[in-house]
């Protein structure tokens, strides 16, 4: 019976690696460590691929990068109906920042999430940039946000 690649233990890691990256991002967005722990365990289960897989391990490398290097978290707190959010969004997504997570909170619609994250003492509108536990002062304009992102 011809099994082709199925007869080999070697399989593509893409699907699992993409799921691991998504779990790490989910952990960052929700603040729930369990998602990161699941990704960590799954990534630790991958063998040392070396040269056996080549480009097939690209997603594995990206997921591992998300696991071992801190993400930059950009949090925008402003009414979504205001044009201010669009201008800040443009800077947040248009500036190259590896491992970036961007959140938008509307003070009226997302009160509980804002309180849970500890942002309820901030005056809206503002944008926060954080990495490795270091939170920069709130940015109040697109140019200030670009400046904060440049400080990392």
């Amino acid at each position: 019976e011809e099994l082709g690649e199925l007869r080999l233990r070697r399989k593509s890691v893409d699907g699992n690696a993409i799921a691991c990256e998504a779990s790490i991002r989910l952990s960052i967005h929700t603040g729930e460590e369990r998602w990161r722990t699941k990704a960590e365990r799954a990534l630790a289960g991958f063998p040392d691929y070396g040269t056996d897989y080549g480009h097939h391990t690209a997603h594995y490398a990206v997921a591992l990068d998300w696991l071992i290097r801190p993400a930059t978290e950009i949090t925008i707190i402003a009414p979504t109906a205001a044009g201010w959010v669009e201008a800040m969004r443009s800077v947040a997504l248009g500036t190259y920042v590896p491992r970036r997570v961007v959140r938008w909170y509307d003070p009226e619609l997302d009160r509980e999430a804002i309180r849970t994250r500890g942002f309820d003492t901030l005056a809206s509108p503002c944008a926060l940039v954080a990495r490795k536990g270091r939170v920069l002062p709130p940015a109040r304009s697109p140019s200030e946000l670009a400046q904060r992102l440049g400080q990392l």
Side-chain angles (χ1 to χ4, degrees):
E1 177 174 330
E2 288 293 323
L3 296 177
E5 285 285 317
L6 292 177
R7 64 185 162 80
L8 303 174
R9 287 187 51 85
R10 184 177 69 182
K11 306 288 185 279
S12 173
V13 299
D14 281 356
N16 285 329
I18 291 169
C20 287
E21 180 185 348
S23 291
I24 295 164
R25 288 176 181 237
L26 187 58
S27 174
I28 294 167
H29 276 290
T30 64
E32 295 180 26
E33 192 64 24
R34 66 186 173 112
W35 296 110
R36 181 181 178 81
T37 301
K38 287 180 184 205
E40 197 170 88
R41 282 198 323 255
L43 288 171
F46 290 139
D48 181 15
Y49 289 109
T51 59
D52 289 345
Y53 280 77
H55 71 280
H56 296 292
T57 59
H59 284 108
Y60 167 77
V62 169
L64 191 59
D65 187 55
W66 272 88
L67 182 67
I68 62 175
R69 291 188 177 90
T72 298
E73 299 180 51
I74 304 167
T75 304
I76 299 171
I77 303 170
T80 53
W84 193 89
V85 170
E86 222 19 72
M88 295 301 263
R89 179 181 181 273
S90 178
V91 172
L93 297 176
T95 305
Y96 175 73
V97 178
R99 295 168 310 283
R100 163 187 49 210
V101 173
V102 181
R103 293 184 200 92
W104 293 273
Y105 293 121
D106 184 304
E108 293 299 316
L109 302 175
D110 302 310
R111 286 184 187 142
E112 183 59 25
I114 291 170
R115 187 192 60 74
T116 300
R117 288 288 202 175
F119 300 140
D120 50 334
T121 60
L122 297 170
S124 171
C126 71
L128 295 170
V129 176
R131 185 193 290 162
K132 291 190 216 175
R134 177 180 169 216
V135 181
L136 300 178
R140 304 282 177 193
S141 69
S143 61
E144 281 187 13
L145 179 56
Q147 180 186 22
R148 302 289 188 277
L149 293 172
Q151 292 175 345
L152 300 174

